[in-house]
Amino acid sequence: MSGTLYIVATPIGNLEDLTPRARRILADVDLIAAEDTRHTGRLLSHIGAKTPQTPLHDYNESDAVEALLGRLGAGGSVALVSDAGTPLVSDPGYRLVRDALAAGITVVPVPGPSAVIAGLSAAGLPTDRFTFEGFLPAKRAARAEMLKALAREPRTMVFFESVHRIRDCIRDMASVFGPDRRAFIGRELTKLHEHCVAATLGGLDSGLDDGSIVQKGEFVIVVAGTSETPMSSIDADRLLVELAGRLPAKEIAAIAAAVTGKRKNALYARLIELTDDDGA
């Protein structure tokens, strides 16, 4: 009988955030697959556990997965942890979970701390729909292209950023999204020097510039989605029907193409189809 792979969320800073269930599982499993065994070793020492560890990180995942699947296939229990928060969220482990499921091994999530949810919950921005974008590209040109692709995103966006790029990242966001876009920075969440600031992107830019937002530690950035209506969400058929009979067909198709972003010829053909149906 195959064993069980537990996906265990660990504290993102404050050790008191480790759940009782996570504590028990980390102490009881046969093996812990850790992003950094030294970091996880300190957590295990804190809870008094002596569970064996094996490294699982971006550079050894291919080889490590095979060995872990063998252990699981033989009935062993393994806990997957990252350095902080919920594994697989900008952390290694995807291949292990994917291959474990493909092999019919039971995968059990052990929920707990998440920097994404912690930042989102304190940002004061809509949470009914959001998108997690992780770390943006390090190079400015690639980062700007990614931000431009997100300029019309209507959902709240969550990003991670390092201390080395936070200043340039916020400045680029203000440039692409506009300085008046509502946003939030969570610095060192749950740690001793936690600092949360809700402002506009322009305000965050100024705060980083004048030092009121200290450029130290790890950052979660939450940015409001655009309030503009995406062109693709406009009902082309309704627009065509509303304009039918008021203007020449070619002019209606041209207006609809400009508003919806769709091809004029296709809209013209659709207008004829709709008006023929009405006539029938």
Side-chain angles (χ1 to χ4, degrees):
M1 180 179 292
S2 65
T4 301
L5 173 63
Y6 296 95
I7 314 302
V8 183
T10 56
I12 59 177
N14 192 320
L15 293 179
E16 293 180 1
D17 292 336
L18 185 69
T19 68
R21 182 184 177 208
R23 181 187 296 258
R24 174 178 57 79
I25 288 173
L26 291 177
D28 290 350
V29 292
D30 299 319
L31 182 67
I32 295 174
E35 183 179 5
D36 184 332
T37 55
R38 294 168 300 178
H39 183 94
T40 301
R42 290 191 287 272
L43 176 63
L44 295 178
S45 178
H46 173 75
I47 65 175
K50 297 182 179 180
T51 310
Q53 296 187 71
T54 188
L56 177 69
H57 46 69
D58 290 332
Y59 304 104
N60 79 334
E61 189 168 3
S62 179
D63 293 332
V65 165
E66 184 175 353
L68 288 168
L69 290 178
R71 186 77 175 254
L72 288 162
S77 58
V78 175
L80 171 66
V81 300
S82 62
D83 286 350
T86 302
L88 278 75
V89 182
S90 279
D91 287 326
Y94 162 71
R95 289 189 60 180
L96 175 60
V97 174
R98 179 197 64 188
D99 292 355
L101 290 170
I105 293 167
T106 300
V107 177
V108 177
V110 183
S114 166
V116 176
I117 301 303
L120 192 64
S121 69
L125 295 171
T127 58
D128 53 335
R129 297 178 69 226
F130 67 91
T131 174
F132 174 58
E133 299 296 333
F135 287 93
L136 290 167
K139 294 186 177 180
R140 171 160 282 174
R143 184 167 61 241
E145 284 302 309
M146 178 71 76
L147 290 172
K148 288 176 183 176
L150 294 169
R152 291 184 177 229
E153 172 58 62
R155 297 169 293 182
T156 298
M157 297 169 281
V158 184
F159 304 85
F160 287 164
E161 193 50 273
S162 70
V163 62
H164 308 292
R165 293 191 293 271
I166 185 63
R167 182 73 180 79
D168 290 339
C169 178
I170 292 296
R171 177 164 288 180
D172 289 346
M173 285 181 172
S175 175
V176 174
F177 297 151
D180 295 329
R181 183 81 71 93
R182 293 170 60 207
F184 165 91
I185 275 182
R187 184 179 74 83
E188 294 288 83
L189 290 177
T190 80
K191 300 177 184 177
L192 180 62
H193 299 292
E194 176 182 275
H195 187 201
C196 298
V197 182
T200 62
L201 284 170
L204 295 178
D205 187 19
S206 297
L208 288 164
D209 193 43
D210 65 22
S212 59
I213 301 175
V214 180
Q215 296 182 51
K216 291 182 180 180
E218 299 173 328
F219 294 82
V220 175
I221 306 168
V222 186
V223 182
T226 182
S227 58
E228 299 176 5
T229 302
M231 291 194 301
S232 60
S233 71
I234 296 173
D235 189 330
D237 280 4
R238 182 176 178 184
L239 180 61
L240 292 171
V241 170
E242 289 293 328
L243 293 175
R246 303 184 186 185
L247 296 168
K250 289 185 178 179
E251 191 171 343
I252 291 173
I255 293 172
V259 171
T260 65
K262 297 182 178 181
R263 292 173 53 247
K264 182 171 67 174
N265 289 346
L267 289 166
Y268 179 85
R270 180 58 177 160
L271 174 62
I272 299 304
E273 181 181 343
L274 290 169
T275 51
D276 282 351
D277 287 347
D278 290 342

